[in-house]
């Protein structure tokens, strides 16, 4: 089997190296990742300039583009043989709840939806790499077990791993996305020449993090596995919209 590995932390990220090392003896693994950190890039495609892949000394391919660019090219001709599966990560930092709307790691997995197998996005709930070995072990176990999955086509599995050593992780929980409150206000700053700019601030606090959510599983020491679908149609709103449109017409 051939696996395409991507991320949003960049081609030099320790999480990417850890994920590759965990899967290298299981499948034929090829890495295509952004040259620089592209966290928060979501599903952006680069349409205003050409993309130039560069092969690194370790064989990884760095690309001057987004995580979605990396998978898009990897699936559509950049590699000699088309991958059978896309695996993204290991992201340093959580992708819980509303985070999946912005996450380049999750977006990379979403771009892998056209491959014949489920795509995985792995995130370690920490900015530090101390427990990457545990996260890599869990990623390997889940990818190895993927053939036993019975899920609809184009399913993406967002996996968040608590920042714990392996012997303190309590197991796996199947979860739904929780929700965050509104993000903190942007921070306005002036540079030394007096020109003002804004820094995007921190994500909002947890608003919906009760039992059954990805937030709750992580807080209890479990690996959270959330299946994501690509159909964003809000069917529950149809009835109210139909009545509203009758009034418009």
């Amino acid at each position: 089997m051939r696996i395409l590995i991507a991320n949003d932390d960049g081609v030099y990220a320790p999480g990417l190296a850890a994920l590759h090392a965990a899967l290298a003896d299981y499948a034929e693994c090829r890495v295509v990742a952004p040259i620089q950190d592209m966290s928060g890039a979501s599903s952006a495609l680069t349409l205003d300039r050409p993309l130039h892949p560069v092969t690194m000394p370790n064989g990884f391919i760095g690309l001057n583009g987004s995580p979605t660019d990396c998978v898009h090219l990897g699936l559509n001709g950049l590699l000699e043989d088309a991958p059978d599966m896309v695996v993204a990560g290991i992201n340093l930092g959580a992708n819980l709840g509303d985070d999946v709307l912005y996450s380049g790691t999750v977006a990379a997995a979403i771009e892998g939806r056209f491959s014949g197998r489920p795509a995985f996005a792995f995130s370690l709930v920490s900015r530090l790499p101390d427990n990457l070995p545990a996260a890599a072990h869990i990623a390997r176990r889940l990818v190895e077990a993927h053939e036993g999955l019975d899920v609809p086509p184009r399913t993406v599995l967002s996996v968040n791993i608590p920042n714990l050593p392996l012997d303190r992780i309590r197991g796996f929980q199947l979860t739904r996305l929780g929700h965050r409150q509104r993000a903190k206000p942007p921070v306005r700053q002036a540079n030394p020449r007096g020109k003002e700019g804004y820094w995007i601030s921190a994500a909002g606090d947890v608003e919906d993090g009760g039992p059954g959510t990805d937030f709750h599983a992580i807080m209890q020491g479990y690996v959270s596995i959330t299946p994501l679908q690509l159909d964003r149609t809000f069917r529950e709103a149809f009835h109210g919209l139909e009545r509203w449109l009758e009034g418009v017409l």
Side-chain angles (χ1 to χ4, degrees), residues 94-115:
N95 279 309
L96 299 165
D98 306 86
D99 300 343
V100 301
L101 298 174
Y102 308 102
S103 167
T105 300
V106 174
I110 287 173
E111 189 65 14
R113 65 192 182 276
F114 296 112
S115 64

Side-chain angles (χ1 to χ4, degrees), residues 3 29 32 65 72 82 91 102 104 119 137 155 166 174 178 186 202 214 230 238:
I3 295 178
C29 295
V32 185
H72 188 79
N91 190 67
Y102 308 102
H137 176 84
T155 297
L166 191 60
L174 187 62
D214 45 5
L230 282 301
F238 271 37

